[in-house]
Structures are given as C-alpha cells and as structure tokens.
Amino acid sequence: MDATDRLMPGPEGKTPRLILRLQTISKSSQNLRIFRFYEVDRGNKTESYISAVSGNPVVPEHIMLKEKRPDPEEPAPQKPWERPPVVARPKNPDQIGLSEEELEEFRNDPCWKFIRTVLFILFWLIWLALFAAAILLVCLSPACIVREKPNWWQTAVAYHVWIPSFQDSDGDGVGDVEGLIDRLDQLRKSGVQTVWPSPFLISDDEKTAVRSFSQMDPKLGVNQKADELIEKIHEKEMKIIISIPIATTSLEHEWFLNSASASKTPNANYSQFYTWVSKAADSNFFAEHKNLFYLHEKGNAKSAVLNWQNSNLREHMFNALSSWIDRGIDGFELLGIEYLARTPNGTEPEWNAIYDVIRDIRFHVDTYSNESTIAKGKKVALFSTREEAKEKDKKRMAKAGMDTVINYELGEVEKDTKICHKNEGSVATCVHEILSDVLLFHSLNEQVWPHWRFGSPDLARLASRVGSRPHAQLLMMLQMVLPGTNNIYYGEEIGMRNLANDSRVPPQRGAMQWDDSLNGGFTSAISPPVPSNIDVANINWKRQYSEPQSTLKIFAKLAKLRQREDALKTGTTLIGRLVDGAFTVTRFNNFENRTTGNIYVAALNFAEHPVKLPLTDLPNNEKLQKSTIVTATSNCEAFYARQTVDFGGKEVELEPNQGVVFRYSA
C-alpha cells in the first residue's frame, strides 16, 4: 500500500471510513479514483472546510457541466418549443378514424402541410368574397319604402261652423266668435281636429261680397276676437281654416270705390282692379255704375269680379293672404275660383287662365310661408270646390296647386230625386254607385287627394235629405271611414234636421242643439232670431255624449281613431258589392304589398229587412274569428263597443237600418 493510502487518524478520535466514488475525469479517460472521506461533525463548519478535510474539493458548476458526458441511452433533453413525445397506446377496437398517435406522423409531412396551407388560404378568400358580395347586395338593392307622414289636412276632420247659429255669448240671439271659443272644449272632446268658421270676413251677403280682406265681420265680434279665436284653437292643438272670396268684393270695398273713381289722381292705380266696359250685352253678368258697366257674379250685382290679370291687384291680394298666414290661419277655402279669369264677354270661365292664377297663388303662399319668421315654413292648405267638375277638371285643379278638391257628389244624395230614384226605396243604391265611381277615380289618380262633403251651409240637412235619421247615422258612419279629408257640417254629428220652412233663417242653419234647456243651450234670449228645432229635447249634444251608442259617439270614436290608425289615415279602401240594400267598406294598410296592422270594416244595411253580408272578399279573412266591435248604430242591440265576436263564418247579419264597424288583425 502506498504511503498516501495509509489511514490517518480521524478528527477527535473518529475512525476513518473508506468510501468509493466513481467519477469521470475527462472524455478521454475512464479511470477510477478512490477518495477517502472522513466523517466529521459539522458543527459550525462550512461546506468548503468539510470538503477540504474529506479530500473532496468543491468543483465549480460550469466545469461539472462541461465535463458531464451524455449517456447515449438517455433521450436528448426536451426543447421548450417542442411537443412532448406521444406515448403509443394500444388502439381501441371501437375507435372510428385515426388516433392521435396515428395522426402525429402527418403533422410535419410536407404534402399535408401544403394541403393545409392551401385550404386555409381558400377559406379566407371565400370569406372575403362573401363579405364583399353582402356589401354589394346592400348597396345595389332598392331602398325600402319609407312611410311618409301625411300632411295635417290629409286626415283632418274639419268641423264647418256657421257662427251665427252655433253659440250666442251675449244674449242677443245670434251666435258669435266668443260663443265659439266657449264651445271649443266640446269640439275637442268629440274628436274635431280642424275648425272652419263661416262666415268670417265682413261682407254684404255673408259669402262673396266681401268688404275687407283683413277684417272679421263685426256682427261676430271685434276684429281682435279673430286673433283670440286663432290662438285658442291652436292652444287646443287644432287647426283653423277660413273661406276667402278670392275673385270678388262688395261694391263697398275700398278697392271698388277707388276703381270707380280712378279718374282722380290718387286712385289711378285702382283703375284696372275690376273689369269695366262701356257697353254690356248680358245683364246677368254686368251692372251699371257711374255710366260704366262692371263685371259681377251671375245674378248677384253686389259681388263685383276682380281682375286678376292686373299685377297691382295681384300684389294687394297676395298681401291679404300673407297677413292671415302671419295671424295664424292654417288653410284657405278659395271661393269663386271660376271668376279668376273670364272670356271676353264675361259669361264663361277661362279655365286655362284660371289654372295659371291658381299656380301663382300656390307659389306665393308656399314662398311666403317658408320665408316668414312667424309662419316658419308651416304647410298652408289650399282647397276649393267646383260644381259639376268632371274628373279631368279635378286633376287639372290639383296639378295647378290645389291640395284638395271637394267631392260635391255625395252632397247631392237625396231620397226620391233624380239622383236617388223613388223606386229604389232608399239611398243605398245611389250612394254605393256614386261612392264606387269616386273611389275608383282617386285610386287611379293619387295626386288628387279625396275630400268629402255630405253637408254645408248651402245644403239641406242630411237627415232631412235622406228622409231617415237612422240612414243619416249610417251615412255619418260611412263618411268617417272614407279616406282623405272630411268636412262635417255643425249639427250633423248629432243628426239635426232642417227647421220648418217658415223659419226666419235658412232651414239648414238652425240653432245648435247643445242640451234640453231653453233654446237648446244656444242662447238665453227669449225670442231669438235664430230658432231651435222642436226635437231639441231628445236630439242634443249633452244627451248623446252620455249615451253608450249614439250618432255623436259614432262620430267621436271614429274621428279619434283616424288620428292614430294608419289604416284609417292613409290605408287602402275596398268597397264591397251591393247586397240587397247593404254593403261594406274596408280600410286596411297595404305596405310593400303586404297587409299589416288592423283591418277596419264598416258594414251598413239601408234595407228595411235583415241582410247577411258576405265577408269573403276581405283581406286576410281567415283572421275574422277574432274580431272586435269598434262602434255600432244606436238601434243595434246585437253588437256593442269592445265586444269580441267570431265572424269565422265570413258573413255578418244586420237588422234593418243597422250598421257596425269592427276590426281584426292582419
């Protein structure tokens, strides 16, 4: 044994213990070294000390790593970016398709890498192509049809008031503007949206012989009351329209007096305001004044015709219209348009020239309304009527600038006349025939907005014309479901009749019947010049407003519905065939060739016997099982408001002189 191998005594008498350790010194040698380690007590000794004593010096870690030799049987260390190796597992006999281990060998296969890359690129190319196609489809597709909100006058229920017969406020027995103001709340409650007071301007005949275009008739109240009336009506969110004689004046009008004295220098500009001739052949149209003859309305020498071909006259008339627009008037009925231009002999209207004048009026009204700081661009309505107008005449008037042309035809409906022959038994046949023709005309000419009039200050009361208050109630129901603008003459909403023929006023202008008190609540006068009808105790506004079913309730219910239901405002109208004195009128909203919302049906029986009306032609009639009654005539016991009914049999049976309005969902 070598001297270096001799045992040395261990520390503190410890016996040395020989420990063998194999260590690879270098890659080139595989020698064994025997190191002697002595067991020592650690105590407070450091590692370096213990290592030195035990003959095992501390080797730096980087040298150890450098000298460490990899074992060829050990697997290479795993890189952080490499997936762990998949341990093969026995294949499940129930497995369908390749296992994860089987798919692993294709992961880095160049062929499959290429296929995956191509499919990935194709996916995004197809996605981008579909996205671009969707954008092109949106851009190139036709725009959706936007529902235009109708103008206020297109759905208006215009209440035509004859002021002298409506409400007296001072006890003189004649109605006035203050009385009308006092009754605005009742009108609002009954669904009125537009007030049309007549007469309004000061005149000789309460119509066309106007004395001033800027002053209200003082018999109705002081001129300031006109402004108060306009303000009060607007406060209640209603509109006001007035009638203005657009082509005539009184002989007492300042313009006529100046024109008749045009030889005087201050009046020279008025010389051509009227048509003057030195010799007249037709006394029906010309009257003498100071050795000259002036043109006037046929048979009415008090109403001189203005010369609208004179530019100075036009300027004065435009100023008059502008003044009322600034004062708050929302629309004008243009009276006497047939006198806007006449043939050289004055006996016939010159319609081509009249249409030119109407265009000029329309242009001025629109321009001034848009430029006025008071009107602020509000839509001012212009409408008129032309008796005996043909369809082409209505179209030309609308094209010239009229917002509406009043349909006068139904105002001629009267029992036992040439319009409604006595052999027909009722007005059903003539009403159905006239209505079918007029509705067809409007459906083919949408630029001519429908405007209905069943009564007026110049027509007999509806209940008197048709000879039956139940039939008048049916016609009220019919009028309120028709498309377009509706005129309601005061008192028709409660079924008033004409006065006796010996009355002191025209029979259709009797006092409004408000309640069953003295004079029907119209006036406190003992013997008023405007009398009340003898049936005022039973036929009055207060009583009908309190009843569940009445003419007033029909009017109020349908007037309010017209303000919010698209079907009644601008919907399509379908009139059913006449079946033994009965027929239906249907209103529905047809938007983009699709029926939507509620469908309203008015079923009316003018016959003296029960009638079963078929409902097979109604749109979406498979939904008739769930119908709801909107309103019914006062003599109807089978139906009442808000009643749910089943018309699945596609027919409705009505008793004599009964009517009903019902709805169902499309």
Side-chain angles (χ1 to χ4, degrees):
M1 181 179 294
D2 192 338
T4 58
D5 293 332
R6 288 185 301 209
L7 296 176
M8 296 180 66
E12 299 180 7
K14 299 282 186 173
T15 304
R17 186 177 60 182
L18 182 65
I19 299 176
L20 297 180
R21 179 180 177 187
L22 290 176
Q23 182 176 8
T24 300
I25 304 279
S26 66
K27 294 181 180 179
S28 57
S29 60
Q30 299 288 338
N31 300 324
L32 280 176
R33 272 195 186 176
I34 301 174
F35 295 94
R36 296 174 178 83
F37 295 94
Y38 291 89
E39 291 184 356
V40 295
D41 290 334
R42 286 182 177 271
N44 294 327
K45 313 302 190 293
T46 64
E47 290 289 344
S48 59
Y49 174 80
I50 296 174
S51 298
V53 171
S54 59
N56 184 25
V58 176
V59 182
E61 185 177 356
H62 68 279
I63 296 177
M64 293 289 292
L65 292 174
K66 185 176 181 181
E67 293 179 349
K68 187 174 180 180
R69 183 174 194 158
D71 189 345
E73 296 182 359
E74 290 184 8
Q78 187 72 36
K79 303 295 190 299
W81 58 84
E82 293 181 342
R83 296 177 61 185
V86 178
V87 180
R89 290 174 292 182
K91 187 171 182 179
N92 187 351
D94 297 329
Q95 177 180 315
I96 299 175
L98 299 176
S99 65
E100 183 179 0
E101 296 85 354
E102 293 169 330
L103 288 173
E104 181 64 25
E105 62 179 290
F106 299 103
R107 184 164 62 89
N108 296 319
D109 187 284
C111 177
W112 287 106
K113 277 187 175 182
F114 175 76
I115 293 175
R116 287 198 301 270
T117 303
V118 171
L119 292 177
F120 179 79
I121 294 172
L122 283 176
F123 168 79
W124 284 109
L125 288 176
I126 294 173
W127 187 91
L128 290 173
L130 291 174
F131 183 73
I135 294 176
L136 287 175
L137 187 64
V138 172
C139 295
L140 299 179
S141 297
C144 295
I145 300 174
V146 179
R147 295 190 191 188
E148 293 185 5
K149 183 180 180 180
N151 287 304
W152 67 266
W153 48 267
Q154 291 182 304
T155 59
V157 175
Y159 191 78
H160 199 169
V161 178
W162 188 257
I163 298 179
S165 303
F166 194 65
Q167 181 63 58
D168 173 27
S169 67
D170 56 11
D172 65 355
V174 179
D176 46 48
V177 168
E178 184 64 36
L180 173 56
I181 292 174
D182 292 341
R183 293 294 186 179
L184 289 178
D185 281 335
Q186 280 95 326
L187 297 185
R188 183 63 178 165
K189 286 180 181 179
S190 59
V192 170
Q193 299 133 34
T194 302
V195 179
W196 180 3
S198 293
F200 193 73
L201 300 178
I202 180 173
S203 67
D204 295 336
D205 59 357
E206 296 182 331
K207 196 170 184 182
T208 60
V210 62
R211 290 191 176 196
S212 172
F213 286 104
S214 60
Q215 184 180 354
M216 187 181 72
D217 195 329
K219 294 192 297 291
L220 307 176
V222 297
N223 203 34
Q224 290 78 4
K225 279 294 176 183
D227 298 305
E228 183 182 348
L229 174 64
I230 295 170
E231 181 182 356
K232 294 294 185 182
I233 287 174
H234 286 162
E235 284 179 0
K236 298 187 182 301
E237 298 181 345
M238 297 189 289
K239 305 289 186 180
I240 178 172
I241 56 179
I242 63 172
S243 301
I244 187 164
I246 199 66
T248 56
T249 72
S250 164
L251 305 186
E252 300 300 321
H253 195 289
E254 178 187 7
W255 299 348
F256 186 86
L257 297 176
N258 291 340
S259 184
S261 305
S263 58
K264 297 179 181 180
T265 303
N267 301 332
N269 289 335
Y270 294 91
S271 62
Q272 300 301 315
F273 269 40
Y274 299 83
T275 300
W276 296 93
V277 296
S278 58
K279 185 178 180 179
D282 195 331
S283 59
N284 287 322
F285 292 95
F286 287 91
E288 186 177 3
H289 185 82
K290 294 183 179 181
N291 299 321
L292 291 176
F293 294 86
Y294 65 91
L295 179 65
H296 59 73
E297 283 186 334
K298 184 178 180 179
N300 183 11
K302 293 181 178 180
S303 188
V305 175
L306 293 165
N307 177 21
W308 268 86
Q309 305 309 309
N310 180 264
S311 59
N312 198 12
L313 179 277
R314 287 193 181 205
E315 182 180 351
H316 279 67
M317 285 301 301
F318 289 159
N319 289 338
L321 293 171
S322 300
S323 174
W324 282 113
I325 291 174
D326 281 343
R327 292 172 75 173
I329 292 300
D330 299 295
F332 298 99
E333 181 203 18
L334 303 184
L335 291 174
I337 60 170
E338 63 271 22
Y339 289 97
L340 286 171
R342 306 294 287 184
T343 56
N345 62 6
T347 59
E348 297 293 334
E350 182 60 61
W351 283 107
N352 288 331
I354 289 173
Y355 298 140
D356 289 338
V357 174
I358 292 174
R359 274 187 281 269
D360 291 342
I361 295 173
R362 171 87 273 170
F363 178 78
H364 170 76
V365 168
D366 289 345
T367 302
Y368 186 81
S369 178
N370 289 329
E371 294 176 352
S372 171
T373 57
I374 299 175
K376 296 180 180 179
K378 75 174 182 179
K379 173 64 177 177
V380 178
L382 296 180
F383 64 98
S384 186
T385 185
R386 180 181 169 185
E387 301 298 333
E388 306 300 328
K390 307 300 181 184
E391 292 182 353
K392 62 181 180 63
D393 301 325
K394 293 181 180 180
K395 288 193 288 185
R396 294 190 67 183
M397 289 176 67
K399 186 176 180 180
M402 288 293 184
D403 289 310
T404 67
V405 180
I406 296 175
N407 292 319
Y408 62 89
E409 293 87 351
L410 288 170
E412 297 180 345
V413 170
E414 186 173 355
K415 188 179 179 183
D416 299 338
T417 63
K418 63 179 181 178
I419 302 296
C420 302
H421 197 270
K422 64 174 64 178
N423 293 334
E424 296 174 357
S426 74
V427 297
T429 303
C430 62
V431 167
H432 185 270
E433 182 178 350
I434 292 172
L435 190 58
S436 298
D437 290 343
V438 178
L439 285 174
L440 178 61
F441 164 72
H442 285 294
S443 67
L444 297 176
N445 301 275
E446 295 183 357
Q447 76 276 16
V448 184
W449 191 255
H451 192 156
W452 309 97
R453 181 191 69 184
F454 283 42
S456 78
D458 301 316
L459 295 174
R461 290 276 180 190
L462 187 60
S464 297
R465 294 205 318 266
V466 301
S468 165
R469 187 166 274 130
H471 283 187
Q473 196 173 91
L474 288 173
L475 290 174
M476 169 64 70
M477 181 179 285
L478 170 64
Q479 183 177 2
M480 295 306 293
V481 298
L482 291 178
T485 309
N486 264 301
N487 290 352
I488 301 295
Y489 185 49
Y490 86 99
E492 303 286 17
E493 77 275 23
I494 59 174
M496 283 176 57
R497 293 179 183 267
N498 282 351
L499 296 172
N501 290 331
D502 60 350
S503 61
R504 290 158 284 177
V505 298
Q508 68 271 20
R509 299 179 188 175
M512 177 64 181
Q513 298 167 196
W514 292 106
D515 52 43
D516 58 2
S517 64
L518 178 67
N519 301 315
F522 163 69
T523 181
S524 59
I526 301 301
S527 182
V530 181
S532 301
N533 214 318
I534 57 176
D535 60 3
V536 65
N538 296 318
I539 306 300
N540 60 73
W541 195 96
K542 183 178 180 180
R543 178 172 180 172
Q544 291 196 17
Y545 192 77
S546 64
E547 293 174 345
Q549 294 183 178
S550 64
T551 306
L552 179 61
K553 282 297 180 67
I554 293 172
F555 170 77
K557 181 69 175 181
L558 296 177
K560 293 173 182 177
L561 274 177
R562 289 172 64 90
Q563 299 178 45
R564 62 177 184 267
E565 283 287 344
D566 288 337
L568 294 176
K569 288 194 294 185
T570 57
T572 302
T573 306
L574 177 67
I575 183 168
R577 57 189 176 90
L578 185 66
V579 179
D580 201 12
F583 60 91
T584 60
V585 175
T586 307
R587 302 293 309 281
F588 57 97
N589 189 36
N590 191 13
F591 185 67
E592 294 186 342
N593 298 321
R594 186 168 59 92
T595 302
T596 60
N598 289 323
I599 300 172
Y600 286 83
V601 182
L604 314 166
N605 179 18
F606 291 85
E608 297 297 329
H609 52 78
V611 175
K612 289 184 178 180
L613 272 173
L615 306 177
T616 52
D617 295 333
L618 301 187
N620 295 43
N621 54 37
E622 68 278 3
K623 303 290 185 66
L624 283 167
Q625 293 94 334
K626 295 182 180 180
S627 299
T628 303
I629 302 299
V630 175
T631 187
T633 52
S634 55
N635 60 355
C636 187
E637 297 180 356
F639 303 112
Y640 53 88
R642 295 183 294 277
Q643 175 189 7
T644 300
V645 292
D646 182 1
F647 290 132
K650 298 180 181 178
E651 69 175 14
V652 55
E653 183 173 3
L654 296 173
E655 295 299 315
N657 305 315
Q658 287 186 358
V660 63
V661 176
F662 64 90
R663 68 168 175 258
Y664 62 98
S665 175

